[in-house]
Amino acid sequence: MVAQSRKWVVLVASTWIQAFTGTNFDFSAYSSDLKSVLGISQLQLNYLSVASDLGKALGWCSGVSLLYFPLWVVMFMAAFMGLFGYGLQWLVIMRVVSLPYVLVFLLCLLAGCSICWFNTVCYVLCIKNFPANRPLALALSISFNGVSAALYTLIANAINSGDDNDTLYLLLNALIPLLASVAALLPIHRQPPSQQPLPADAVRHDSVIFLYLNIVAIFTGLYLLLLNSLSSNSSIARVLLAGAIFLLILPVGTPGITYARNWARQTIHLVFEGSRFNLVNMDDLELYKELVGSENSSGARILNGNTHSSRDREGCCANLVGKDQLMVLGEEHPAKSLVRRRDFWLYYVAYFCSGTIGLVYSNNIGQISQSLGYSSRTSSIVTLYSASSFFGRLLSAAPDFLRDKVCFARTGWFAVAIMPTPIAFLLLALSGGEAALTAATAMIGLSSGFVFAAAVSITSELFGPNSAGVNHNIIITNIPLGSVLYGLVAALVYDANIESSNGAVLRGDSMVCMGRKCYFDTFVLWGFMSLLGLASSFLLFLRTRHAYDHLERTRRRMQFS
């Protein structure tokens, strides 16, 4: 029972790490000041945001380090990377030291690596301590990364509510992850030994606790989203920050719930069992073995029959949808075979043209707000994106929560989640008003947040859970690639409008483009690219829905046998 209690404290510790280490979300808050101090162009500023994203391309380093160092050592290595990377940038922006652009670029790269290393620590904690509830643990932990910008805004306003607190974000980025690592050290150091398989009733009881934790998480997100606009006053910001910290600490009481197991079984769990609302079933742990083993041949026969019928119906599109179609979920794909599959490239393009665009958009929020004349609203818009991303990440658990209510492939949910992105860019292209900027930012944050959190589970299901670590690192190479390409286009369009416009103004040592035209062409291009991502995700859904249907049929047969 003590081990079961400790694992929940470990999960809460992972949410703390995620909540305070999403330091890339507040880049827009200080990017304009950094641009002015360094005297660089928009294109050069874009390369600094790309440097942060390049840390994801080096994510394998954190996995290798875990082969030689304890988990807590890797966590503090990440914390000191951030301390050094962000700390020196703060000294530069405060004009305490002067560094050449190349060194600032390397500092951004080092700071970006720290984020990736923190994420690896959290993934390992969830996978190790919740083998039976892995998707729910990952979704909950990853979701808290989306509230980082809102928390940092509260902290910055609590320290200094003036208009000149943008540079404070860099100092907070350097110090707060280190403090969060210190707070999480004891739970991580005392985490339980490797979890043994749980009985079915224990897994169902855990599902009730996950439901409780998700309710607390939703309330935390709403608290930060709705009340953050009141934090412009330092006194109010301090009160709101105290409330946010209380909400983050509240789940530490979760171990008490584990001791109330009999009560939960007799009340809450019976209600769920009566309505057939089961979040997790222990039979699912054997499902992949059956699918890749004895069910392989029967699954192939069923899906081949469906493929032939779909070819008759779809005509010229049959080859694209039916050829080399995925037979079953959970089959392991080594890296060499992964890149030869059409499903991989459809998935790669869908991610590249959806979640990655949302990330690049978040890096440009500062300049977008400034060009539209809403510089004073930058912090609140960054907070809105962060909070929307948080709720999108929480929604990625919808397929698991609604599994017995709605039978729908996870790749189908993925396609639905991408739909708001092209609508948002259409709205931005048609209007430069504050309402349009706010609505579009919320939609893009919600969509990209879902994509980021759902991607780990989709990679595991389509290409095998044992290979997910390597395969997912291959998938997310699209992020630095997209950051370079999308950001480059945005920067070139921005700088071109400065040269050809009378609306440019001088801010510090750099020119600033003012007006809707600064990003109009960029919004149009990003909108078309997101439509390509939507089409790619829909094709991926068509190619994988039969495998998901087969998974659901097998699960139900095992459940009622």
Side-chain angles (χ1 to χ4, degrees):
M1 184 63 71
V2 174
Q4 292 300 310
S5 300
R6 286 182 182 177
K7 73 178 184 180
W8 295 108
V9 179
V10 171
L11 178 61
V12 174
S14 75
T15 64
W16 294 346
I17 296 172
Q18 289 283 356
F20 291 108
T21 59
T23 49
N24 55 329
F25 282 109
D26 59 21
F27 177 80
S28 294
Y30 60 83
S31 58
S32 296
D33 291 322
L34 189 62
K35 177 182 177 182
S36 176
V37 169
L38 294 176
I40 57 178
S41 66
Q42 184 66 22
L43 182 60
Q44 291 174 304
L45 181 66
N46 171 71
Y47 288 144
L48 294 183
S49 68
V50 169
S52 179
D53 295 332
L54 282 175
K56 295 178 175 62
L58 302 174
W60 57 272
C61 297
S62 57
V64 173
S65 66
L66 287 172
L67 299 177
Y68 303 98
F69 301 102
L71 198 64
W72 67 271
V73 173
V74 175
M75 177 180 66
F76 277 101
M77 290 170 66
F80 282 105
M81 285 182 192
L83 179 66
F84 186 76
Y86 286 117
L88 283 181
Q89 288 184 70
W90 179 73
L91 293 177
V92 170
I93 206 171
M94 295 299 293
R95 302 182 189 272
V96 176
V97 299
S98 178
L99 295 177
Y101 175 80
V102 174
L103 287 182
V104 176
F105 180 90
L106 293 177
L107 290 175
C108 290
L109 178 62
L110 183 64
C113 284
S114 72
I115 300 171
C116 186
W117 283 48
F118 276 124
N119 289 340
T120 300
V121 169
C122 293
Y123 297 159
V124 171
L125 287 173
C126 293
I127 290 172
K128 179 180 178 181
N129 289 280
F130 295 91
N133 304 292
R134 189 176 303 163
L136 292 175
L138 284 170
L140 182 67
S141 177
I142 294 171
S143 66
F144 275 86
N145 194 249
V147 301
S148 292
L151 286 171
Y152 275 77
T153 299
L154 272 180
I155 297 171
N157 289 337
I159 297 173
N160 178 16
S161 61
D163 295 332
D164 57 344
N165 70 344
D166 290 345
T167 57
L168 184 59
Y169 284 93
L170 274 171
L171 181 61
L172 296 177
N173 287 353
L175 296 177
I176 290 180
L178 178 60
L179 297 177
S181 299
V182 173
L185 176 60
L186 184 60
I188 292 176
H189 187 66
R190 298 187 61 193
Q191 62 179 310
S194 299
Q195 293 289 306
Q196 299 298 322
L198 298 177
D201 61 336
V203 176
R204 295 191 184 99
H205 174 66
D206 282 1
S207 70
V208 177
I209 299 179
F210 271 110
L211 181 62
Y212 158 75
L213 291 176
N214 275 272
I215 292 173
V216 174
I218 292 172
F219 187 80
T220 303
L222 289 173
Y223 176 89
L224 291 171
L225 175 63
L226 299 178
L227 299 182
N228 205 280
S229 59
L230 304 176
S231 65
S232 56
N233 180 275
S234 293
S235 300
I236 297 177
R238 293 186 187 107
V239 174
L240 294 177
L241 178 61
I245 297 299
F246 171 76
L247 290 174
L248 290 174
I249 297 176
L250 180 61
V252 173
T254 301
I257 301 177
T258 63
Y259 288 106
R261 182 173 180 176
N262 292 333
W263 175 85
R265 182 185 302 170
Q266 296 172 3
T267 55
I268 299 176
H269 179 64
L270 287 179
V271 174
F272 291 147
E273 189 175 35
S275 62
R276 300 185 55 77
F277 181 70
N278 297 317
L279 301 184
V280 181
N281 194 306
M282 278 299 293
D283 292 336
D284 291 344
L285 299 179
E286 302 297 326
L287 190 53
Y288 281 146
K289 295 181 181 179
E290 181 177 349
L291 288 174
V292 299
S294 61
E295 290 290 327
N296 225 338
S297 58
S298 62
R301 290 195 298 270
I302 294 173
L303 293 176
N304 282 331
N306 288 335
T307 299
H308 289 309
S309 62
S310 65
R311 287 176 180 174
D312 295 337
R313 293 192 304 267
E314 296 171 11
C316 63
C317 296
N319 185 53
L320 181 61
V321 175
K323 186 176 181 179
D324 193 29
Q325 196 172 17
L326 190 70
M327 295 292 102
V328 293
L329 299 180
E331 185 177 358
E332 298 295 336
H333 289 74
K336 291 183 179 179
S337 64
L338 177 76
V339 297
R340 293 197 295 264
R341 291 201 62 91
R342 293 189 179 188
D343 298 316
F344 165 77
W345 289 109
L346 288 172
Y347 182 32
Y348 194 92
V349 171
Y351 199 127
F352 178 77
C353 296
S354 57
T356 299
I357 293 181
L359 182 61
V360 176
Y361 173 83
S362 71
N363 290 336
N364 284 270
I365 287 177
Q367 280 65 50
I368 293 172
S369 302
Q370 187 181 62
S371 66
L372 295 176
Y374 306 119
S375 297
S376 60
R377 292 270 296 149
T378 298
S379 294
S380 61
I381 293 175
V382 170
T383 299
L384 175 63
Y385 176 88
S386 174
S388 300
S389 177
F390 167 76
F391 287 114
R393 292 165 192 249
L394 278 181
L395 284 174
S396 68
D400 300 288
F401 279 89
L402 302 177
R403 186 173 54 193
D404 286 342
K405 301 292 184 179
V406 179
C407 180
F408 196 50
R410 198 183 299 271
T411 50
W413 289 100
F414 188 80
V416 171
I418 296 176
M419 289 182 181
T421 301
I423 298 174
F425 286 121
L426 175 63
L427 188 61
L428 286 170
L430 293 177
S431 173
E434 183 177 351
L437 178 62
T438 301
T441 299
M443 286 191 287
I444 294 172
L446 193 69
S447 177
S448 59
F450 190 104
V451 170
F452 294 147
V456 180
S457 297
I458 293 176
T459 302
S460 175
E461 291 172 348
L462 296 186
F463 309 118
N466 296 331
S467 306
V470 175
N471 291 344
H472 193 64
N473 276 325
I474 296 175
I475 292 291
I476 63 174
T477 56
N478 78 85
I479 294 179
L481 178 63
S483 184
V484 172
L485 295 179
Y486 296 135
L488 179 63
V489 170
L492 290 175
V493 171
Y494 185 94
D495 287 339
N497 280 303
I498 289 180
E499 297 175 0
S500 62
S501 171
N502 295 325
V505 297
L506 182 65
R507 295 283 177 86
D509 297 327
S510 61
M511 296 297 294
V512 174
C513 181
M514 300 298 295
R516 286 182 56 198
K517 61 187 178 303
C518 301
Y519 278 93
F520 176 81
D521 292 339
T522 301
F523 292 149
V524 172
L525 176 63
W526 287 354
F528 277 114
M529 292 302 294
S530 60
L531 285 175
L532 176 61
L534 180 59
S536 181
S537 66
F538 182 68
L539 286 175
L540 178 66
F541 165 64
L542 292 179
R543 287 177 55 84
T544 58
R545 58 178 176 173
H546 299 303
Y548 276 97
D549 289 343
H550 180 53
L551 172 74
E552 183 63 21
R553 286 195 301 269
T554 305
R555 189 185 71 85
R556 290 183 180 275
R557 186 171 67 250
M558 294 175 64
Q559 182 176 357
F560 292 107
S561 61

